[in-house]
């Protein structure tokens, strides 16, 4: 529904789109585009304007809406106003009001969570990622923090994400969002004992919490910020030491971006530094699917999959309008709904 009549990167052109745009001289067909926006509560207004259909504007019209409006105008010879409110790849429940979802028993839990988030938002205490960020959630598994940690070896990886140099979405974790743990052991030279050190991780996508020998040495929110953490001398010990990094990826690419030039640990006030080597057989870069936080956090204030979020932001403001009909398409985003909420949407997609 959101695909425009004109070209779109990564998609095949619509057949004869150039001829259609050139012939789209229909001053009695207009489109009102509703900006894509999710909201916790029903919005009262929406930013937008009516745009007259012409060869200069038709390429930006919704393709389905354009062909429907054109055919309707040619059949009825009456003005046609198209209100374009769509967001590709979104589930039906996002477009449904909480009032309607309360009537469906399978949504009792999600509705309660959404209402709780709204109450926190009203009181200024809402933080969607608090249980995830910087180790504030479930207890940190001790096995990741010291020498007793897992010993399973992962194969060497190639790419620039998810790992000490490369472990990740381009190298073994495609499209993964959530929490990944990494461990790396290193030997402390005797000459370094009793002095502070610095740990350089480069940029981490999105957030990290980092420990050395089970002691938290730093935590940062933001995927563009290079991590440089001070390691007090008291934390370090002669011989083998353990670095553990908990990485939270909330969407898009994810992991440890640092390469050989940025990922290192060094003794403070010294020119010498020890660099991490690329992981290979025997390396201790790890990921864990057993972390209780194994899916990305859901921001109830800004997300296209939030329960009733698109209804609140993109449908509720339109309710004063009198409309003659609706074109609705719901497809792939609700695949699996029959298994997860079997009584909610049991019919075929419209």
């Amino acid at each position: 529904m959101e695909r425009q009549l004109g070209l779109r990167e990564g998609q095949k052109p619509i057949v004869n789109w150039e001829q259609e745009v050139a012939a789209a001289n229909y001053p009695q067909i207009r489109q009102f585009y509703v900006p894509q926006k999710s909201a916790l509560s029903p919005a009262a207004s929406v930013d937008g304007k009516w745009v007259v259909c012409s060869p200069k504007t038709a390429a930006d019209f919704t393709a389905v809406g354009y062909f429907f409006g054109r055919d309707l105008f040619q059949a009825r010879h009456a003005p046609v106003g198209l209100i374009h409110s769509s967001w590709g790849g979104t589930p039906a429940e996002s477009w449904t009001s909480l009032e309607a979802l309360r009537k469906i028993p399978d949504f009792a839990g999600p509705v309660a969570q959404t209402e709780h988030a709204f109450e926190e938002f009203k009181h200024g205490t809402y933080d969607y990622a608090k249980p995830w960020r910087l180790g504030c959630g479930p207890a940190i598994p001790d096995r990741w923090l010291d020498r007793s940690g897992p010993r399973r070896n992962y194969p060497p990886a190639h790419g620039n994400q998810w790992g000490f140099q490369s472990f990740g979405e381009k190298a073994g974790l495609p499209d993964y969002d959530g929490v990944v743990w990494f461990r790396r052991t290193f030997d402390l030279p005797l000459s370094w004992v009793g002095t502070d050190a610095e740990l350089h991780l480069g940029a981490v996508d999105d957030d990290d919490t980092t420990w050395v020998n089970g002691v938290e040495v730093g935590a940062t929110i933001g995927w563009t910020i290079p991590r440089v953490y001070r390691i007090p001398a008291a934390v370090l010990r002669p011989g083998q030491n353990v670095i553990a990094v908990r990485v939270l990826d909330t969407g898009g690419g994810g992991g440890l971006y640092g390469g050989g030039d940025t990922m290192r640990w060094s003794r403070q006030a010294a020119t010498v530094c020890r660099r991490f080597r690329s992981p290979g057989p025997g390396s201790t870069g790890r990921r864990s699917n057993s972390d209780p936080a194994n899916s990305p956090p859901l921001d109830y204030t800004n997300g296209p999959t939030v329960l009733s979020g698109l209804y609140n932001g993109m449908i509720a403001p339109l309710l004063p309008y009198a409309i003659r009909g609706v074109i609705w398409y719901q497809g792939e985003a609700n695949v699996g709904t029959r298994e997860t909420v079997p009584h909610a949407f049991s019919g075929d997609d419209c």
Side-chain angles (χ1 to χ4, degrees):
M1 300 298 277
E2 80 172 17
R3 169 64 198 270
Q4 71 271 29
L5 181 58
L7 293 175
R8 188 165 194 164
E9 185 177 356
Q11 297 185 8
K12 293 181 178 180
I14 292 175
V15 176
N16 297 326
W17 76 272
E18 291 175 302
Q19 296 93 318
E20 291 292 344
V21 168
N25 187 22
Y26 296 105
Q28 288 188 296
I29 299 177
R30 305 189 180 194
Q31 174 181 263
F32 184 96
Y33 174 73
V34 179
Q36 294 180 338
K37 182 179 180 181
S38 176
L40 261 179
S41 60
S45 63
V46 63
D47 294 329
K49 63 181 180 180
W50 287 102
V51 175
V52 176
C53 182
S54 73
K56 293 183 178 180
T57 63
D60 291 327
F61 272 45
T62 161
V64 172
Y66 167 77
F67 288 116
F68 176 82
R70 182 202 63 182
D71 291 354
L72 188 61
F73 174 77
Q74 292 175 346
R76 300 293 181 88
H77 299 287
V80 176
L82 302 168
I83 300 177
H84 175 200
S85 183
S86 70
W87 194 322
T90 52
E93 55 268 31
S94 297
W95 297 95
T96 310
S97 69
L98 279 182
E99 182 181 5
L101 292 175
R102 288 191 192 101
K103 301 175 183 178
I104 305 175
D106 291 298
F107 281 100
V111 167
Q113 292 175 351
T114 303
E115 291 175 330
H116 177 71
F118 180 47
E119 288 300 314
E120 288 189 333
F121 181 76
K122 287 195 301 184
H123 292 92
T125 59
Y126 177 69
D127 178 6
Y128 82 99
K130 183 178 179 180
W132 284 73
R133 295 199 191 280
L134 312 183
C136 295
I140 303 301
D142 290 339
R143 67 185 185 278
W144 290 106
L145 305 183
D146 57 32
R147 286 175 288 187
S148 64
R151 287 292 180 265
R152 178 183 174 185
N153 294 322
Y154 283 79
H158 304 283
N160 63 352
Q161 294 172 282
W162 280 129
F164 284 111
Q165 306 231 22
S166 55
F167 250 109
E169 297 198 13
K170 293 184 179 179
L173 292 176
D175 301 322
Y176 181 82
D177 295 327
V179 169
V180 175
W181 282 87
F182 299 95
R183 294 177 70 254
R184 164 81 60 180
T185 59
F186 68 94
D187 291 326
L188 185 74
L190 290 176
S191 61
W192 287 37
V193 174
T195 61
D196 294 348
E198 281 185 344
L199 174 64
H200 298 246
L201 294 178
V204 179
D205 190 352
D206 290 280
D207 307 334
D208 79 288
T209 309
T210 300
W211 295 261
V212 173
N213 296 329
V215 177
E216 184 176 328
V217 297
T220 306
I221 295 173
W223 66 276
T224 61
I225 305 172
R227 274 61 168 175
V228 180
Y229 297 137
R230 175 179 172 273
I231 309 174
V235 172
L236 298 169
R237 56 198 179 200
Q240 190 179 76
N241 294 258
V242 177
I243 301 169
V245 184
R246 178 184 187 268
V247 177
L248 166 63
D249 174 36
T250 60
L256 297 165
Y257 281 86
D261 293 333
T262 57
M263 303 187 70
R264 64 188 188 274
W265 57 276
S266 62
R267 183 166 54 175
Q268 286 192 325
T271 57
V272 65
C273 69
R274 303 296 177 95
R275 300 189 186 281
F276 290 118
R277 293 175 296 174
S278 298
S283 72
T284 53
R286 307 281 183 247
R287 70 181 177 92
S288 169
N289 287 330
S290 62
D291 191 301
N294 59 0
S295 60
L298 180 62
D299 184 356
Y300 284 88
T301 64
N302 183 29
T305 62
V306 173
L307 225 62
S308 305
L310 301 185
Y311 170 86
N312 291 334
M314 301 175 65
I315 298 297
L318 309 176
L319 293 182
Y321 260 91
I323 61 175
R324 300 294 293 271
V326 176
I327 314 171
W328 170 265
Y329 169 78
Q330 184 64 29
E332 295 83 356
N334 277 106
V335 170
T337 297
R338 195 181 301 271
E339 286 73 30
T340 57
V341 277
H343 306 297
F345 304 107
S346 58
D348 293 332
D349 292 329
C350 297

